Amino acid sequence: MTKQKNDFYGFLAQTSKTPVALEIVSAKELWLKGLKGKKYLDLISGIAVSNLGHSHPKVVKAIKEQADKHTHVMVYGEYIQAKQVQFAKKICSLLPESLNSVYFVNSGSEAVEGALKLAKRYTGRTEIISFKNAYHGSTHGALSVMGDETLKMPFRPLLPGITLLPYNNVDALKNITKRTACVIIEPIQGEGGTMVPTKLFLQALEKQCRKTDTLLIVDEIQTGFGRTGKVFAFEHFGIKPDIITIGKAMGGGLPLGGFVANRKMMQMFSDNPPLGHITTFGGHPLCCASGLAAMEVLLKERLHEKAIKKEKLFRTLLKHPAIKEIRGKGLMLAVEFDDEELCKKVINRCLLYADSAGKKGIITDWFLFCPTAMRIAPPLIIKEKEIKYACFVILKAIKEVI
């Protein structure tokens, strides 16, 4: 064990008993380089974060230029900072007209916290509805609307008034009533194993929310910024959210989150009481500069549209009797196996794989609430030859572990 790895276990809080603990010394495009020079093809983008890969030159340039001007100067919302304003305007330009006000925070979990507070404040109601196998973050409010009891039970009591409904079940939507402040939903469930709902379900959800004056919060933290073939995944389904939460790829590789709502609604935070929601580092100028640059590259190169063609290539190449199903949209895919043990063996074998030069493994992962499926969510810049290499390694790994 290297000194640095020893210090990793000695001084950093651990999130699991068996972290992967790869020592990464550099990263460029889709490739991470380890301590001994071995390269790894990144098929998960730091969990849907690095949509432009690693160290994209235009993102790096934007960060450096902003750092030369200033970093943090004041808590969010009090000073006019150019990159915050420019990025907020760009985000709103890509959304329905009613979604015209951005509140920047630091992460997806914080975005969910802010959105839930806003919904309760605006409606005067307290009941919140979410869905089984949903993942919205680990802070107390976000954890309260998580759809898995295993992760919640050790931290109870959590927020009261939470109801969990089955995902993609139209009949269950009758539980949304005039008592409901908001419904929060992922347009495609991430940690549930990339579960894609029907258009009928999401449109029925929107209709029930309108009928009961309930706010519809769409969690685009993992699905947003081009991952599914649209800039935002709700566009696939013909619905219009009242609030969206964003994060992960939003910052171009730096920590950034946000929630977007109508300006009239968002003004509830500015009065009675003032500072009804506040954050010190939300919308950090370096993060906004990075996020804006990444967004401009995404749109200019139409990477979200190209994700659909790349999805088809993955589906075409990944053929094996052990693969039960491939789910998802764009470059947000789940490869389903018969059991958890097989899935994790394949994932481990991909990581350990070495090409003829002995240097190229594949980084994949499973899902929190669907450990029988392997995650495929590479940077959107992935090339055809890299997809072919990834599929070759995955298929070879399957053959070797069966």
Side-chain angles (χ1 to χ4, degrees):
M1 183 181 292
T2 65
K3 182 181 184 302
Q4 184 152 285
K5 183 174 284 190
N6 190 60
D7 288 346
F8 168 80
Y9 287 107
F11 297 102
L12 283 180
Q14 305 298 306
T15 56
S16 74
K17 290 185 177 180
T18 56
V20 180
L22 285 180
E23 294 190 59
I24 301 301
V25 297
S26 64
K28 188 171 180 63
E29 296 181 348
L30 273 83
W31 297 96
L32 308 183
K33 185 181 287 186
L35 192 63
K36 296 182 179 180
K38 181 173 179 178
K39 285 187 172 183
Y40 301 90
L41 181 64
D42 184 2
L43 273 194
I44 56 174
S45 309
I47 313 300
V49 169
S50 305
N51 278 9
L52 299 189
H54 305 278
S55 304
H56 192 285
K58 290 186 178 178
V59 174
V60 172
K61 180 183 177 184
I63 294 169
K64 289 179 176 178
E65 288 177 352
Q66 180 58 43
D68 284 338
K69 294 175 182 177
H70 66 83
T71 57
H72 175 76
V73 290
M74 185 56 171
V75 296
Y76 169 74
E78 291 299 309
Y79 288 1
I80 298 171
Q81 301 181 58
K83 291 303 177 183
Q84 282 183 355
V85 175
Q86 293 165 16
F87 196 21
K89 184 176 181 180
K90 173 62 73 173
I91 291 168
C92 291
S93 73
L94 300 166
L95 292 167
E97 189 176 345
S98 58
L99 293 171
N100 53 22
S101 182
V102 180
Y103 195 113
F104 285 118
V105 291
N106 303 282
S107 67
S109 290
E110 288 182 60
V112 170
E113 297 288 341
L116 295 179
K117 280 179 65 177
L118 182 61
K120 291 169 71 175
R121 177 77 170 82
Y122 186 74
T123 63
R125 304 174 186 176
T126 57
E127 181 185 75
I128 297 170
I129 286 177
S130 60
F131 293 86
K132 294 177 181 178
N133 286 337
Y135 183 85
H136 298 291
S138 291
T139 50
H140 262 71
L143 188 63
S144 300
V145 293
M146 181 186 288
D148 178 83
E149 192 58 37
T150 304
L151 293 179
K152 294 165 72 167
M153 181 56 72
F155 304 102
R156 288 192 177 279
L158 297 168
L159 284 182
I162 307 296
T163 299
L164 290 177
L165 302 182
Y167 192 72
N168 204 28
N169 184 320
V170 173
D171 291 339
L173 299 178
K174 63 180 180 292
N175 290 284
I176 302 167
T177 70
K178 291 281 187 179
R179 297 186 302 273
T180 312
C182 63
V183 176
I184 182 166
I185 189 169
E186 298 161 277
I188 298 173
Q189 280 197 334
E191 297 310 313
T194 312
M195 304 303 294
V196 182
T198 63
K199 184 180 287 190
L200 173 66
F201 169 70
L202 285 182
Q203 291 185 350
L205 170 61
E206 182 186 29
K207 183 177 180 181
Q208 184 68 8
C209 286
R210 300 289 171 258
K211 180 180 177 181
T212 57
D213 296 318
T214 298
L215 297 180
L216 175 58
I217 303 173
V218 174
D219 181 340
E220 291 273 3
I221 292 163
Q222 190 168 161
T223 55
F225 299 92
R227 173 113 330 249
T228 70
K230 300 282 189 181
V231 177
F232 296 104
F234 74 80
E235 299 175 66
H236 289 290
F237 303 99
I239 62 171
K240 186 185 295 184
D242 296 297
I243 305 172
I244 69 167
T245 57
I246 44 182
K248 288 193 178 289
M250 179 184 182
L254 295 188
L256 188 62
F259 52 105
V260 190
N262 185 266
R263 187 172 297 105
K264 179 182 176 183
M265 192 185 306
M266 202 73 88
Q267 285 173 345
M268 303 291 286
F269 278 152
S270 65
D271 184 53
N272 192 30
L275 307 182
H277 196 67
I278 193 67
T279 171
T280 298
F281 292 110
H284 192 285
L286 290 187
C287 303
C288 285
S290 173
L292 179 59
M295 174 68 91
E296 289 172 344
V297 172
L298 172 78
L299 297 173
K300 183 178 180 180
E301 298 185 10
R302 312 299 295 176
L303 293 174
H304 51 300
E305 295 174 0
K306 294 174 183 177
I308 299 297
K309 182 179 179 181
K310 295 171 183 179
E311 172 197 349
K312 291 178 181 177
L313 185 56
F314 271 112
R315 289 182 180 275
T316 299
L317 295 176
L318 284 178
K319 303 285 188 182
H320 192 280
I323 296 175
K324 292 175 59 179
E325 179 186 18
I326 298 177
R327 297 186 297 272
K329 283 184 179 290
L331 289 175
M332 184 178 178
L333 301 173
V335 178
E336 183 77 39
F337 294 99
D338 279 320
D339 59 68
E340 179 179 345
E341 183 181 7
L342 174 59
C343 180
K344 291 187 176 180
K345 282 183 176 179
V346 172
I347 289 168
N348 188 56
R349 188 69 191 88
C350 286
L351 185 67
L352 297 175
Y353 181 80
D355 66 358
S356 57
K359 290 186 176 180
K360 293 179 182 176
I362 303 290
I363 296 174
T364 59
D365 192 18
W366 60 90
F367 298 89
L368 277 178
F369 310 141
C370 186
T372 56
M374 181 173 66
R375 186 193 310 266
I376 294 182
L380 304 184
I381 62 169
I382 192 170
K383 301 180 182 67
E384 183 176 321
K385 65 179 181 179
E386 292 163 332
I387 294 175
K388 289 180 177 178
Y389 179 74
C391 292
F392 165 77
V393 174
I394 292 169
L395 293 173
K396 187 172 179 62
I398 294 171
K399 292 174 185 176
E400 289 179 357
V401 302
I402 290 179

